[in-house]
Amino acid sequence: MVAVKHDDLSMSFEFVSCAAPTEHNAYVSLDTGKIYWTSEFNDAFDEEIPDDLETSDRYVAIPHKTELGLGRRLALQFVAEELPERYDQVEEFFRRQGAYARFKDLLEREGILEIWYSFEADSVERALRQWCAENGLEILES
């Protein structure tokens, strides 16, 4: 089992998830625990990227938040628990662009935005830990 630093994993997950799926990628070396970042938009990373990064079984791609159910599905789960009377409204938000802005505006008006942020952070942490366990990675706490 290879170890990966918690902070590096978290930053890499955020990098992958801040764009549409496949626009940003990050890969963990199963030999060293080193994380390599790539982007469709930027070749200017200061590191040498292995040639077999996307084809070798010695690297595992860090998932996008949607792959772990941490996008729309998580928001709807939160609303079902905290604001069930607004579920249909929020579901409608996610049928158009700008959904997260409208979602967060609603949570702010309802006074539960900070509860959402905590719920989201806890969900991300659990999902990343489970993903690491499934992929033979040990998390080194900072």
Side-chain angles (χ1 to χ4, degrees):
M1 185 175 277
V2 68
V4 62
K5 293 179 184 173
H6 182 274
D7 289 348
D8 292 348
L9 177 66
S10 293
M11 283 191 315
S12 299
F13 177 75
E14 290 300 321
F15 170 73
V16 168
S17 297
C18 76
T22 74
E23 287 183 3
H24 297 305
N25 298 291
Y27 300 86
V28 179
S29 167
L30 295 176
D31 297 320
T32 65
K34 180 175 175 57
I35 299 176
Y36 298 93
W37 295 19
T38 65
S39 174
E40 288 186 13
F41 304 108
N42 188 352
D43 294 333
F45 293 105
D46 292 334
E47 61 185 331
E48 186 70 27
I49 302 295
D51 292 334
D52 63 347
L53 189 64
E54 295 178 3
T55 58
S56 173
D57 64 355
R58 300 310 311 151
Y59 303 95
V60 61
I62 293 175
H64 190 277
K65 69 181 179 180
T66 57
E67 293 175 65
L68 298 179
L70 299 170
R72 173 185 184 269
R73 187 178 346 159
L74 185 67
L76 290 173
Q77 177 187 343
F78 178 78
V79 170
E81 293 174 16
E82 298 292 330
L83 293 171
E85 68 281 0
R86 299 294 198 119
Y87 187 89
D88 291 341
Q89 179 184 10
V90 173
E91 191 175 42
E92 185 62 32
F93 289 167
F94 284 96
R95 292 191 178 127
R96 297 184 314 274
Q97 284 190 323
Y100 276 102
R102 287 188 297 278
F103 171 65
K104 289 178 183 176
D105 286 346
L106 172 66
L107 298 183
E108 176 123 32
R109 286 191 309 274
E110 295 288 337
I112 61 171
L113 184 59
E114 291 304 316
I115 296 170
W116 159 251
Y117 287 138
S118 179
F119 178 84
E120 182 183 38
D122 291 346
S123 298
V124 167
E125 185 70 20
R126 278 192 310 278
L128 280 178
R129 287 184 182 281
Q130 180 178 343
W131 177 82
C132 283
E134 291 169 359
N135 286 280
L137 300 171
E138 174 187 358
I139 298 177
L140 292 177
E141 303 300 330
S142 300

